[in-house]
């Protein structure tokens, strides 16, 4: 894992000092709320319905146990004893007091963490593949490149007041576990003739107008990585729309001028930017890469796992994934037990996960965009012990990628922009499908819920998506089908008129019943949907 | 404190003319750029310009940051002024993009400006100022 040196630490410490000063000026009335807002937002401090919310960055979703314990400490000391892991691999605290915000940032800085650029119209936390460094199919670990982007984008003087927020994801496998093409820039590291480079997809996003990013450049030589990123951003900063907040994302620019014209402008800018010397030397790339060297895996350890405990075997089959190293496995901890609030974890649970990571996963954890936690490097001989500890902490739900592994945004329970509540709908659906055998029979089914069109819950990318809308002052839910945030990226299609809270649960069930009826062989829901199309499902829903 | 200037030369007391007027004529040596205007149009004329004023009608509109860098990258060495809704917490970024004078709509507190500019000893990236990025410090 990356470790701060004196420079990284000094920058984060200075930020704490700066934010304390900004809060002081705000509380002393030297700044209006309007002036304070963009500043607090660049520090991840939102004003929600009931309190301030603080969003803490977890760069590319990677943490060690010390950092994870700190997240628990903050939940205990400054919040109501829990935190909410988000689709952007961050964590949010929902009940923060303004006067505590400086102390929280100071606490975070002691473990090399911060809330820098977790909101605001700037380059946000860089997200990545939660299996980075553990997946057999990656050409390289994407995280050094994400870290390089983190440093480059931190307080980037030219890109702090972009037309709109800007999200970048970096992956290094053909299998996309990070919804790469639904980001403003999605980067896939690739190899060509033995050389590392990056494919740049630009102009994806969700929100009101979901778009899948087109390929802008299939191979950017790795030594041009930052220059090319800078050129992409500069074109956007200059020409992205500023007249209409709903048209300000880069996806609209790329859509309006076309991918070819955008590419032409970027290439032209790049030719100039490349002369400025902004790409760090190879030595710096090597320095960063060295932090992500594989841990000291033991060679020759057993590859077999005792499956005699049936509950354990179920969890093993559902939540544990293949590791590139023989004798090891990737463990997914679901934060979606039936009745849970998706993505929420108590401070006690966060501590338990930290302890397990320290003892069994080379001190590493990951946060996933599906709001779960990963222990990336667990020896297979330890899996049973790990599972037992998870069971004890109520963290052993065996439902990864099943219908109850729901992504849901905070919705109307917290969010001032919401049209409808997301959390109770997620809970009701999980309850309706509570029977584990039924869930497993339905197979992979990604259900995602947003409380409004901003799409924080990725509903466009859900195999089944649910969107909260406001219908004459009452909460109403639209259903969409056929989205995907994986390498076969697609945007879901709205089925028709919406439903009330119970109606939407029934509608989901009609969809899954129809799927059971129509599926062939071992087709997933999404495969069946793509084969038979929209109409049979529509008919099943509306009769 | 009202205006801020980080230059030793004497300030020009000529009003800045609009870009279109400047391009049409002129012997003007001061020009004003609005957010939507292309800074690159000035590049052929930089050697006769003493002041470029970049307008910030709203602090959220960050196009002027790119304009400033583009001008500095093209070798412009004259005064580069940020005028308008310029807030104290933006001065540092603006300095890094090459601005060396500020005419904010609302006066800034000199003490806050000073602490703001001195707060960070390090930067992560090269920009239009002389600050040395940490990757350079790390590797010499
Ligand atoms: C409660 C406070 C929150 C507020 C006020 C908020 C606000 C917004 C807004 C306004 C957008 C739309 C931006 C646009 O389309 O240009 C958005 C998008 C998004 N937010 Fe949130 N959000 C909140 C919480 C969250 C949470 C909890 C998550 C993660 C679970 C999240 C993840 C995202 C994602 C992934 C997008 C979509 C990005 C895209 O359009 O490409 N947000 N949010
Ligand atoms: S999708 Fe809407 S309701 Fe949900 S968190 Fe985002 S802004 Fe709030």
């Amino acid at each position: 894992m990356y470790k701060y040196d004196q420079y990284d630490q000094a920058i984060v410490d200075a930020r704490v000092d700066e934010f304390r000063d900004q809060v002081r000026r705000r509380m002393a009335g030297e700044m209006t709320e309007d002036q304070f807002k963009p500043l607090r937002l660049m520090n991840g401090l939102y004003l929600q319905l009931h309190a301030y919310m603080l969003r803490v960055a977890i760069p590319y979703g990677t943490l060690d146990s010390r950092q994870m314990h700190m997240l628990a400490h903050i939940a205990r000391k400054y919040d109501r004893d829990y935190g909410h892991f988000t689709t952007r691999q961050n964590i949010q605290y929902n009940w923060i007091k303004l006067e505590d915000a400086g102390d929280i940032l100071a606490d975070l800085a002691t473990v090399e963490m911060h809330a820098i650029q977790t909101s605001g119209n700037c380059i946000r936390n860089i997200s990545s593949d939660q299996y980075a460094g553990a997946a057999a199919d990656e050409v390289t670990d994407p995280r050094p490149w994400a870290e390089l982007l983190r440093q480059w984008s931190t307080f980037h003087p030219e890109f702090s007041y972009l037309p709109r927020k800007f999200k970048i994801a970096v992956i290094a496998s053909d299998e996309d576990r990070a919804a790469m093409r639904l980001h403003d820039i999605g980067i896939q590291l690739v190899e060509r003739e033995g050389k590392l480079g990056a494919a740049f997809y630009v102009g994806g996003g969700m929100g009101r107008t979901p778009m899948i990013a087109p390929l802008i450049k299939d191979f950017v030589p790795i030594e041009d990585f930052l220059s090319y990123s800078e050129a992409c951003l500069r074109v956007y900063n200059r020409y992205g729309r500023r007249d209409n907040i709903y048209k300000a994302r880069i996806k609209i620019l790329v859509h309006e001028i076309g991918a070819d014209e955008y590419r032409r402008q970027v290439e032209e800018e790049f030719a100039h930017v490349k002369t400025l010397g902004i790409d760090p030397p190879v030595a710096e790339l090597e320095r960063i890469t060295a932090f992500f060297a594989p841990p000291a895996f033991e060679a020759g350890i057993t590859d077999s796992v005792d499956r005699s405990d049936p509950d354990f075997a179920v969890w093993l089959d559902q939540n544990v994934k293949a590791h590139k190293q023989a004798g090891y496995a990737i463990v997914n901890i679901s934060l979606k037990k039936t009745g849970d609030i998706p993505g929420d974890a108590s401070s006690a649970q966060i501590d338990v996960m930290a302890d397990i990571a320290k003892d069994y996963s080379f001190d590493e954890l990951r946060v996933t965009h599906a709001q779960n936690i990963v222990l990336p490097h667990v020896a297979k001989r330890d899996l049973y012990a790990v599972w037992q500890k998870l069971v004890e902490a109520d963290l052993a739900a065996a439902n990864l990628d099943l219908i109850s592994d729901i992504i849901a945004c905070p919705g109307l329970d917290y969010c001032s922009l919401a049209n409808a509540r997301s959390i109770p709908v997620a809970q009701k659906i999980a309850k309706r499908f509570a029977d584990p055998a039924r869930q497993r029979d339905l197979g992979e089914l990604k259900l995602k819920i947003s409380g409004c069109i901003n799409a924080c819950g990725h509903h466009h990318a859900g195999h089944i998506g649910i969107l909260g809308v406001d219908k004459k002052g009452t909460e109403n839910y639209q259903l969409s089908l056929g989205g995907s945030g994986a390498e076969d990226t697609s945007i879901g299609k709205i089925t028709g008129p919406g439903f009330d809270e119970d109606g939407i649960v029934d509608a989901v069930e009609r969809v899954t019943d129809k799927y059971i009826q129509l599926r062939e062989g071992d087709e997933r829901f999404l495969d069946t949907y793509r084969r038979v199309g929209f109409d049979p499902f529509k008919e099943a829903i509306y009769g | 404190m009202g205006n801020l200037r980080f230059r030793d030369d004497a300030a020009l007391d000529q009003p800045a003319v609009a870009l279109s007027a400047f391009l049409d004529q002129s012997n003007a040596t001061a020009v004003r750029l609005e957010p939507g205007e292309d800074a690159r149009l000035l590049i052929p004329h930089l050697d006769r310009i003493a002041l470029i004023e970049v307008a910030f009608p709203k602090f959220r509109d960050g196009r002027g940051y790119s304009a400033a860098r583009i001008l500095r990258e093209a070798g412009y060495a004259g005064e580069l002024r940020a005028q308008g809704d310029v807030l104290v917490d933006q001065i540092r970024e603006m300095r890094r993009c090459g601005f060396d004078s500020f005419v904010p709509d609302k006066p800034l507190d000199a003490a806050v400006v000073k602490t703001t500019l001195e707060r960070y000893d390090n930067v992560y990236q090269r920009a239009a100022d002389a600050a040395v990025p940490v990757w350079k410090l790390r590797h010499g």
Side-chain angles (χ1 to χ4, degrees):
Chain A
M1 262 184 64
Y2 188 73
K3 290 270 170 273
Y4 282 8
D5 66 3
Q6 85 246 35
Y7 301 113
D8 300 302
Q9 191 66 51
I11 288 170
V12 167
D13 289 344
R15 177 55 143 200
V16 175
D17 181 63
E18 179 176 44
F19 192 61
R20 274 192 201 285
D21 182 55
Q22 290 166 346
V23 171
R24 183 196 57 73
R25 281 186 281 141
R26 172 69 189 118
M27 298 198 21
E30 291 169 33
M31 248 192 285
T32 64
E33 172 56 23
D34 198 43
Q35 289 170 335
F36 180 55
K37 189 175 169 189
L39 304 177
R40 65 169 165 76
L41 282 182
M42 275 192 221
N43 272 297
L45 193 65
Y46 282 80
L47 195 52
Q48 297 198 117
L49 283 177
H50 314 290
Y52 279 103
M53 176 273 273
L54 180 72
R55 184 181 290 159
V56 175
I58 302 174
Y60 33 92
T62 294
L63 291 153
D64 64 17
S65 62
R66 193 176 55 122
Q67 294 172 321
M68 191 74 165
H69 280 306
M70 179 55 79
L71 298 182
H73 162 81
I74 289 167
R76 247 189 320 269
K77 181 161 176 195
Y78 303 103
D79 203 284
R80 297 189 178 173
D81 210 27
Y82 67 95
H84 177 74
F85 290 97
T86 81
T87 47
R88 302 223 63 257
Q89 299 180 302
N90 292 322
I91 185 168
Q92 293 184 178
Y93 296 101
N94 283 318
W95 303 96
I96 294 301
K97 292 191 201 68
L98 182 58
E99 58 269 31
D100 287 339
D103 290 341
I104 298 174
L105 295 186
D107 285 355
L108 287 169
T110 64
V111 296
E112 305 177 16
M113 293 185 83
H114 58 74
I116 295 168
Q117 291 170 209
T118 54
S119 50
N121 292 337
C122 49
I123 302 171
R124 303 288 191 87
N125 186 34
I126 313 294
S127 54
S128 187
D129 184 347
Q130 66 269 20
Y131 295 167
D137 61 347
E138 68 187 14
V139 301
T140 184
D141 189 328
R143 291 173 300 160
W145 307 96
E147 173 60 23
L148 189 66
L149 286 171
R150 182 190 76 82
Q151 297 191 22
W152 162 77
S153 61
T154 298
F155 307 137
H156 195 296
E158 187 177 338
F159 306 136
S160 292
Y161 296 88
L162 294 168
R164 203 74 181 86
K165 57 164 119 179
F166 206 89
K167 304 180 180 184
I168 304 178
V170 189
I171 65 172
S173 320
D174 285 335
E175 189 178 333
D176 180 2
R177 290 171 284 261
M180 181 268 288
R181 289 183 71 190
L182 294 168
H183 286 73
D184 296 282
I185 296 183
I187 295 172
Q188 184 181 352
L189 298 168
V190 287
E191 233 167 30
R192 189 183 277 184
E193 288 151 21
K195 283 206 163 65
L196 192 63
F200 272 65
Y201 294 84
V202 184
M206 289 179 270
R208 191 168 300 256
T209 328
M211 286 189 190
I212 299 168
L215 181 66
I216 294 300
K217 180 98 174 165
D218 60 349
F219 192 84
V220 174
I222 209 68
E223 57 275 17
D224 298 337
F225 191 65
L226 289 189
S227 287
Y228 203 84
S229 305
E230 184 124 338
C232 289
L233 263 298
R234 179 175 282 182
V235 170
Y236 170 56
N237 191 43
R238 298 189 74 207
Y239 298 112
R241 286 182 62 172
R242 300 206 183 235
D243 57 328
N244 179 340
I245 184 179
Y246 300 119
K247 302 197 163 163
R249 297 281 297 271
I250 195 172
K251 63 191 174 188
I252 303 292
L253 173 69
V254 174
H255 181 73
E256 283 182 354
I257 67 177
D260 290 337
E261 173 59 15
Y262 176 75
R263 177 182 307 111
R264 189 193 66 72
Q265 294 187 17
V266 169
E267 292 289 326
E268 200 175 292
E269 195 64 55
F270 169 72
H272 163 69
V273 167
K274 188 59 196 172
T275 65
L276 303 175
I278 65 166
D279 289 290
V282 175
E284 175 65 356
L285 306 181
E286 287 171 352
R287 185 190 74 89
I288 294 176
T289 303
F291 287 109
F292 297 93
F297 293 122
E298 245 179 278
I301 60 173
T302 178
D303 230 352
S304 69
V305 180
D306 177 356
R307 304 172 52 92
S308 51
D309 182 331
D311 290 339
F312 169 67
V314 164
W315 175 82
L316 185 70
D317 292 339
Q318 200 62 47
N319 287 33
V320 178
K321 301 287 165 187
H323 197 285
K324 66 179 172 191
Q325 179 73 23
Y328 287 84
I330 301 170
V331 168
N332 285 277
I333 303 174
S334 164
L335 300 180
K336 319 286 179 63
K337 189 172 60 64
T338 305
D340 279 356
I341 295 176
D344 276 14
S346 68
S347 66
Q349 289 178 319
I350 296 173
D351 277 333
V352 168
M353 292 188 275
D355 287 336
I356 298 175
K358 187 161 177 62
D359 294 341
Y360 297 102
S361 183
F362 294 95
D363 205 22
E364 252 194 63
L365 303 117
R366 309 287 173 76
V367 181
T368 83
H369 86 273
Q371 305 180 285
N372 292 319
I373 303 294
V374 165
L375 301 169
H377 313 296
V378 179
K380 288 188 179 169
R381 62 164 181 236
D382 295 331
L383 284 171
Y384 191 67
V386 165
W387 175 74
Q388 285 178 309
K389 286 177 193 288
L390 291 173
V391 169
E392 236 170 82
D394 236 357
L395 288 168
N399 62 350
L400 189 78
D401 294 339
L402 300 182
I403 192 167
S404 61
D405 183 8
I406 296 169
I407 293 181
C409 78
L412 196 56
D413 290 295
Y414 297 100
C415 177
S416 51
L417 305 176
N419 289 322
R421 287 167 301 162
S422 311
I423 294 168
V425 173
Q427 289 168 320
K428 280 192 176 168
I429 292 171
K431 218 165 140 201
R432 178 73 59 93
F433 292 91
D435 174 6
R438 182 179 182 197
Q439 287 192 42
R440 285 198 298 280
D441 177 51
L442 285 172
E444 182 187 299
L445 215 170
K446 300 194 177 183
L447 196 146
K448 311 189 187 207
I449 308 174
S450 304
C452 79
I453 195 62
N454 287 320
C456 304
H458 285 196
H459 67 276
H460 297 299
H463 298 178
I464 297 178
I466 295 175
L467 166 64
V469 291
D470 179 80
K471 199 177 161 201
K472 301 196 187 96
T474 62
E475 295 169 62
N476 196 264
Y477 298 91
Q478 260 177 8
L479 191 64
S480 61
L481 302 177
S484 169
E487 59 281 5
D488 56 355
T489 319
S490 57
I491 305 284
K493 185 170 169 191
I494 296 168
T495 55
F499 305 89
D500 66 11
E501 193 174 297
D502 291 316
I504 191 72
V505 182
D506 294 337
V508 167
E509 193 167 32
R510 285 197 285 275
V511 169
T512 58
D513 286 350
K514 193 74 197 169
Y515 155 64
I516 299 284
Q517 206 185 327
L518 294 174
R519 74 175 159 195
E520 288 176 2
D522 54 7
E523 272 181 344
R524 301 171 303 162
F525 165 76
L526 187 62
D527 304 323
T528 303
Y529 172 83
R530 286 180 176 165
R531 178 173 54 80
V532 305
F534 182 72
D535 293 337
F537 289 100
K538 184 165 179 164
E539 215 180 281
I541 298 165
Y542 298 102
Chain B
M1 179 172 68
N3 304 345
L4 281 174
R5 201 161 180 278
F6 297 84
R7 296 180 66 90
D8 297 330
D9 56 354
L12 194 75
D13 63 356
Q14 218 188 70
V17 303
L19 177 67
S20 55
F22 177 89
L23 294 174
D24 275 356
Q25 12 149 348
S26 91
N27 43 16
T29 57
V31 58
R32 178 177 164 91
L33 268 185
E34 300 299 331
E37 292 175 339
D38 182 1
R40 290 207 160 100
L41 296 176
L42 291 174
I43 290 178
H45 314 286
L46 291 180
D47 52 0
R48 70 174 169 96
I49 305 178
L51 167 68
I52 300 174
E53 179 173 275
V54 179
F56 286 88
K58 291 196 215 91
F59 72 84
R60 285 188 189 82
D61 188 335
R63 284 177 282 189
Y65 295 80
S66 287
R69 274 193 76 187
I70 284 167
L71 292 165
R72 290 303 189 206
E73 285 159 12
Y76 176 64
E79 179 168 341
L80 190 53
R81 175 190 290 167
Q83 184 281 323
D85 193 11
V86 173
L87 308 178
V88 65
D89 296 280
Q90 299 182 302
I91 301 285
R92 178 169 176 269
E93 278 84 6
M94 288 184 168
R95 290 285 290 136
R96 295 216 61 214
C97 287
F99 287 105
D100 55 11
S101 88
F102 301 89
V103 180
D105 288 340
K106 291 194 204 85
L108 305 176
D109 180 324
V112 181
V113 171
K114 188 166 180 314
T115 37
T116 302
L117 286 177
E118 289 171 357
R119 179 170 281 120
Y120 290 90
D121 292 328
N122 296 293
V123 300
Y124 274 126
Q125 58 297 90
R126 236 195 241 299
D129 58 349
V132 180
V134 295
W135 52 256
K136 182 99 174 116
L137 299 175
R138 284 170 178 146
H139 303 284

